[in-house]
Every structure is written in structure tokens, then in C-alpha cells.
């Protein structure tokens, strides 16, 4: 295997690893943000008619 071919394969593997890692980070952040939204208390205005 030539030097350039080995370098090219390493580059492809690195790009794939970075893509998979970024995808995992995005999914984990979205899931954690959804959990935080559920914990928030929403402001509600109550009007009483008399």
C-alpha cells in the first residue's frame, strides 16, 4: 500500500469519525434540551369573572 493511499484512507476514516461524533453530540443535546423544557414551569394568567 502506497503512502498516499494510506494517507487517503486515514483522511476518510477521520472524516467519518468526526461526522459520527458530531451526530451523537447533536442527538444528545436535543434530547437533553427536551428534558429541560419539561422541567420548566410556564407562566399562566388566570382571570376570574365575578
Amino acid at each position: 500500500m502506497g503512502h498516499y493511499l494510506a494517507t487517503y484512507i486515514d483522511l476518510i476514516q477521520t472524516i467519518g469519525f468526526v461526522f459520527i461524533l458530531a451526530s451523537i453530540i447533536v442527538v444528545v443535546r436535543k434530547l437533553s434540551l427536551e428534558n429541560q423544557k419539561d422541567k420548566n414551569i410556564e407562566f399562566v394568567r388566570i382571570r376570574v369573572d365575578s
Side-chain angles (χ1 to χ4, degrees):
M1 185 181 323
H3 175 70
Y4 290 114
L5 181 60
T7 303
Y8 180 70
I9 291 172
D10 286 342
L11 176 67
I12 297 300
Q13 287 178 342
T14 303
I15 291 172
F17 176 75
V18 168
F19 178 76
I20 291 171
L21 186 65
S23 300
I24 290 172
I25 289 173
V26 166
V27 168
V28 168
R29 286 189 65 195
K30 284 188 177 183
L31 289 175
S32 67
L33 286 177
E34 283 182 10
N35 287 342
Q36 288 179 357
K37 286 181 182 177
D38 293 339
K39 294 179 183 177
N40 288 343
I41 299 174
E42 296 180 11
F43 180 74
V44 178
R45 251 185 215 186
I46 300 174
R47 191 178 76 186
V48 179
D49 293 332
S50 55

